[in-house]
Amino acid sequence: AYNTSKGADINFTRALAAGGVQLRGVADQFYGDRNGALRDPFGHVWIVGTQIESLTPEQIAARMQALRVATG
């Protein structure tokens, strides 16, 4: 499931405190979101995130290419 909110970091921290297990910490993504993944106590996987930038498809493609080059 995917949950978007203005307070992704706060909600992620709250979910961990309520028994969630971090799968991927909250971080800025090349496509303009900030998100992280966790598993709740019932086994459901959640992506908690927020949009931090509004990007054009061209900007996203350029960032994806730069990431590919940087990571080999």
Side-chain angles (χ1 to χ4, degrees):
Y2 195 89
N3 174 274
T4 58
S5 68
K6 292 184 179 181
D9 291 272
I10 292 168
N11 289 334
F12 194 84
T13 300
R14 287 179 181 162
L16 294 178
V21 176
Q22 179 175 305
L23 302 175
R24 182 177 47 79
V26 177
D28 295 348
Q29 306 299 323
F30 71 90
Y31 45 84
D33 285 3
R34 179 169 177 77
N35 62 39
L38 61 96
R39 180 177 291 112
D40 71 21
F42 304 100
H44 300 102
V45 174
W46 293 83
I47 307 297
V48 178
T50 190
Q51 184 179 30
I52 55 174
E53 297 179 274
S54 182
L55 302 172
T56 66
E58 294 79 17
Q59 290 171 309
I60 293 170
R63 288 183 178 188
M64 186 181 341
Q65 181 60 29
L67 183 61
R68 286 182 182 160
V69 170
T71 59

